[in-house]
Amino acid sequence: MTKTALITGITGQDGAYLAKFLIDKKYEVFGTYRRLSTPNFWRLQYLDIFENVNLIPADLVDAGSMVEAVEISKPDEIYHLAAQSFVGASFEQPIGTGEVTGLGVTRILEAIRQLNPEIKFYQASTSELYGRGHSSSLTENSQFQPASPYSAAKLYGYWLTKLYRKGYNIFACNGILFNHESPLRGLEFVTRKISNAVAKISLGIEKELYLGNLEAKRDWGYAPEYVESMWLMLQQKEPDDYVIATNEAHSVKEFTEKAFDIVGLDWQEYVKVDKRFLRPLDVNFLQGDYSKAKKKLGWAPKTNFDELVKIMVKEDLNRWVRWQSGERFPWDAPNYPSEDKIISRYQRIDR
Ligand code: NAP
Ligand code: G4F
């Protein structure tokens, strides 16, 4: 029998890849999107699945719209991916981030509890929960020490998910996903900011790249592989929480160096550190041990760090070449302002 899934945040990186994955598995896919002044469906169009998804307008701050989304779609599974997902922005908008990224989880869990507690639920938890002070690979049992309004809101969502599992017997899982990237990543995240800038610099469209903390290390995987783990979690006999990662950490500096290497340039000639991109608090090391996911879900990453950097740089380069030759296609970069235009009050209060 055909299964039905509701994806909150279907317009985002993971939402688009997950929609494609589920469509390929013959699911009927519904997704929530926000009313914006300009349409934002480029990722679904880029993956050529826009015609195959059903879109429902909803906002996480509006509980009624979430109830409506569940009533309209009547899903077997809900993948809750929508969030204010940018850590940097959470320092500028801590209250909004709490509303959306934290309380938004309760709004959708309440809709499940009241309408149909048989619906299976996936919560997009994050390695940001672990926060600062770690120096070895992290498991499901490692200590959480959030270091941003974003991670504090996600910690609330993590606990609400566990609480509805235990208290109401809802099949609710936390996927504790470490950073995962792709050519569909938002342009403000560091990997895509770098791949896009490297492509532009190598074609002479831009001259410099301004970054913040180059020493931060992340466990970076490839997003299309990570969405499979979300589905696997909801196919198990019992609900549980899982770390999804590569078990390798690399610095922002390493990512930058490799990305410039791919186009034959020396990164040190183009990259400058700008304190506007330093956060009041930052997490300097995140690396995840995915042994439990491997054992119980049969999941393991396939794309390594070098391959990931290459995929991202090559795709952005190819897009800029096509664009410069007059081709037009759904894509975010041409409309993204130079970050010089963005004024924020980030300042380092901590090293
Ligand atoms: P993303 O590209 O930023 O997508 C976020 C999605 O949430 C977008 O569809 C966005 O809609 C939607 N959204 C934001 N505010 C909303 C609101 N108020 N109401 C309804 N929808 C709203 O993020 P992602 O990288 O795909 O990540 C998916 C989820 O996984 C997020 O919860 C993120 O925090 C979490 N996560 C991500 C990573 C990672 O490395 N990517 C790692 C761990 C956890 P618009 O398109 O309209 O903005
Ligand atoms: O790419 P980032 O903005 O990702 P961050 O903060 O790790 O968050 C992402 O991964 C989380 C999982 O761990 C998700 F939960 C979250 O939703 C999001 O997807 O920054 C990575 C690192 C940080 O240490 C940051 O300070 O890169 C450093 N960085 C250095 N220069 C920069 C820059 N980050 C950004 N965005 N821009 C810079 O210029």
Side-chain angles (χ1 to χ4, degrees):
M1 210 177 69
T2 309
K3 277 199 195 172
T4 301
L6 173 65
I7 302 173
T8 68
I10 198 165
T11 54
Q13 171 190 257
D14 291 6
Y17 281 123
L18 179 64
K20 179 162 175 34
F21 176 85
L22 293 174
I23 287 166
D24 290 347
K25 288 229 167 275
K26 310 285 180 231
Y27 275 61
E28 164 119 40
V29 175
F30 289 79
T32 67
Y33 76 99
R34 291 191 286 176
R35 188 266 155 191
L36 301 170
S37 64
T38 309
N40 176 27
F41 300 118
W42 76 272
R43 294 184 174 95
L44 298 170
Q45 290 160 339
Y46 203 80
L47 296 179
D48 204 16
I49 54 168
F50 186 61
E51 300 305 328
N52 308 103
V53 296
N54 305 287
L55 296 168
I56 305 173
D59 197 301
L60 285 174
V61 298
D62 187 317
S65 72
M66 300 317 293
V67 168
E68 189 85 340
V70 176
E71 278 195 328
I72 291 172
S73 56
K74 302 204 178 346
D76 300 293
E77 298 166 5
I78 294 181
Y79 296 87
H80 180 49
L81 310 184
Q84 191 302 93
S85 73
F86 188 41
V87 175
S90 78
F91 287 102
E92 292 154 353
Q93 298 162 23
I95 298 167
T97 301
E99 273 290 346
V100 172
T101 305
L103 275 174
V105 183
T106 315
R107 293 188 181 104
I108 190 126
L109 280 167
E110 266 302 287
I112 292 175
R113 186 183 72 79
Q114 293 182 28
L115 296 174
N116 178 8
E118 296 300 311
I119 298 170
K120 294 184 175 180
F121 177 77
Y122 172 86
Q123 163 61 8
S125 283
T126 163
S127 48
E128 275 291 306
L129 298 177
Y130 298 109
R132 291 151 61 82
H134 300 285
S135 54
S136 57
S137 217
L138 298 153
T139 72
E140 293 77 5
N141 300 317
S142 304
Q143 204 188 352
F144 295 140
Q145 319 190 83
S148 65
Y150 166 81
S151 40
K154 281 284 184 184
L155 186 58
Y156 170 82
Y158 168 91
W159 279 113
L160 262 285
T161 301
K162 281 175 106 71
L163 197 152
Y164 274 63
R165 177 160 85 212
K166 289 199 175 124
Y168 301 118
N169 219 14
I170 289 171
F171 194 110
C173 301
N174 281 294
I176 308 172
L177 271 55
F178 283 61
N179 298 48
H180 44 282
E181 317 293 315
S182 75
L184 299 189
R185 188 60 144 145
L187 279 162
E188 68 276 61
F189 298 96
V190 77
T191 54
R192 179 85 197 293
K193 178 174 169 178
I194 296 167
S195 64
N196 183 51
V198 165
K200 288 172 86 175
I201 289 170
S202 81
L203 294 172
I205 306 168
E206 218 163 71
K207 291 197 165 45
E208 284 158 335
L209 167 61
Y210 292 93
L211 293 172
N213 181 5
L214 299 179
E215 304 309 323
K217 289 191 167 179
R218 290 289 183 277
D219 181 329
W220 277 301
Y222 186 39
E225 294 166 9
Y226 281 44
V227 298
E228 182 180 11
S229 74
M230 302 173 184
W231 175 77
L232 284 167
M233 287 177 214
L234 297 198
Q235 311 315 308
Q236 303 308 302
K237 281 212 172 72
E238 300 295 333
D240 206 344
D241 307 324
Y242 299 90
V243 163
I244 301 295
T246 70
N247 211 0
E248 267 186 41
H250 297 273
S251 67
V252 172
K253 196 191 284 172
E254 277 174 86
F255 194 105
T256 311
E257 189 174 354
K258 282 208 186 296
F260 275 91
D261 269 0
I262 290 165
V263 294
L265 297 175
D266 176 359
W267 72 279
Q268 300 197 69
E269 290 177 21
Y270 302 94
V271 175
K272 298 197 167 62
V273 171
D274 183 328
K275 66 176 178 11
R276 279 179 308 147
F277 301 113
L278 299 173
R279 296 171 182 172
L281 281 176
D282 204 357
V283 175
N284 266 333
F285 177 87
L286 288 176
Q287 180 176 315
D289 176 347
Y290 63 90
S291 312
K292 178 176 171 184
K294 190 171 179 196
K295 189 165 168 226
K296 300 218 163 152
L297 306 178
W299 183 91
K302 297 185 189 84
T303 304
N304 69 28
F305 177 69
D306 286 13
E307 289 164 339
L308 175 68
V309 182
K310 206 173 283 171
I311 289 170
M312 293 183 70
V313 171
K314 293 227 153 142
E315 184 106 351
D316 273 329
L317 195 54
N318 183 34
R319 286 159 162 172
W320 277 111
V321 170
R322 286 168 65 197
W323 195 262
Q324 283 196 311
S325 68
E327 221 185 304
R328 290 296 173 263
F329 47 91
W331 185 34
D332 54 349
N335 297 321
Y336 192 69
S338 152
E339 286 191 339
D340 287 348
K341 298 247 175 261
I342 299 168
I343 302 165
S344 79
R345 283 197 303 180
Y346 281 178
Q347 53 181 296
R348 173 165 290 197
I349 55 172
D350 157 80
R351 277 211 148 265

